Amino acid sequence: EFVEFNKFFNRIIDRFEMSKSQNVTFSRFIPDTSYFVEIDTDKLTQVIDNIISNALKYSPDGGNIRFGCTVQDNMLKVMISDDGMGIPKENVNRIFERFYRVDRARSRAMGGTGLGLAIAKDMIEAHGGKIWAESEEGVGTTIFFTLPFELDEAGDWE
Ligand code: ATP
Ligand code: MG
């Protein structure tokens, strides 16, 4: 499907913002410029749902989750950033491995299988993008991913 990423992303964020029960605020840094992407919308929804669920899972009471998108090196760059407990430096790249969870005890209490980000990595790479994390313990985590995009609706895909 050929969709306007900004609208697609905002709709997913809206759904979480309307249904969340935690005391967490959302901030959006999503420009009005239309970025068109050729994506499997069900799969990308699953990817973004998992990243936002993780951000909410690890957000403290009163936390803030930031959503952004920019263009860098001819790719659309999306970021989702939280004020959670963060991930130790030596583990930050391992969160994309199947079944990997930073702290077994803590993760068990949180529920889930540890597959969410491994699936996200497969899906983003299948769309021609990359996914990575930056995190600081006690400060927060940011997940970034990139996607190829077009500025013109009648782009190369027509
Ligand atoms: P699932 O997504 O399958 O329900 P999960 O959330 O544990 O389970 P992933 O989404 O793959 O699995 O995340 C892997 C691990 O990375 C998590 O268990 C957690 O330890 C760590 N992690 C992911 N996102 C964050 C985050 N925003 N803040 C802190 N730790 C995180
Ligand atoms: Mg998850």
Side-chain angles (χ1 to χ4, degrees):
E1 258 175 281
F2 196 50
V3 298
E4 207 178 322
F5 186 81
N6 318 45
K7 281 189 188 159
F8 169 74
F9 193 30
N10 271 314
R11 268 200 302 271
I12 297 175
I13 302 166
D14 288 343
R15 172 161 49 79
F16 276 91
E17 193 160 38
M18 284 187 295
S19 63
K20 72 180 162 60
S21 52
Q22 284 162 266
N23 175 30
V24 172
T25 54
F26 285 7
S27 304
R28 305 186 202 202
F29 304 90
I30 303 169
D32 289 330
T33 321
S34 295
Y35 300 117
F36 294 96
V37 290
E38 170 76 55
I39 56 170
D40 181 325
T41 51
D42 287 347
K43 289 188 170 151
L44 254 295
T45 299
Q46 197 188 328
V47 167
I48 296 169
D49 278 3
N50 177 61
I51 297 170
I52 301 177
S53 304
N54 287 346
L56 278 169
K57 242 196 286 196
Y58 297 104
S59 281
D61 187 59
N64 177 246
I65 300 178
R66 292 150 312 272
F67 301 89
C69 84
T70 52
V71 171
Q72 196 179 311
D73 301 326
N74 283 318
M75 296 286 273
L76 185 63
K77 182 178 172 188
V78 182
M79 66 132 220
I80 296 162
S81 189
D82 67 58
D83 304 322
M85 63 178 73
I87 302 162
K89 267 203 171 44
E90 63 273 22
N91 298 330
V92 73
N93 294 318
R94 301 200 62 195
I95 63 173
F96 298 98
E97 293 173 15
R98 249 158 248 284
F99 305 116
Y100 183 79
R101 313 179 79 186
V102 172
D103 173 337
R104 281 166 194 282
R106 154 184 124 183
S107 300
R108 203 170 316 116
M110 294 285 192
T113 59
L115 276 173
L117 289 174
I119 294 168
K121 186 171 192 285
D122 286 347
M123 307 254 186
I124 293 294
E125 289 177 355
H127 282 80
K130 288 196 168 82
I131 185 167
W132 69 97
E134 287 175 12
S135 188
E136 197 176 330
E137 271 194 283
V139 177
T141 301
T142 304
I143 303 290
F144 297 92
F145 67 82
T146 59
L147 287 174
F149 75 102
E150 288 283 327
L151 285 172
D152 190 348
E153 191 161 16
D156 294 345
W157 292 294
E158 291 264 317

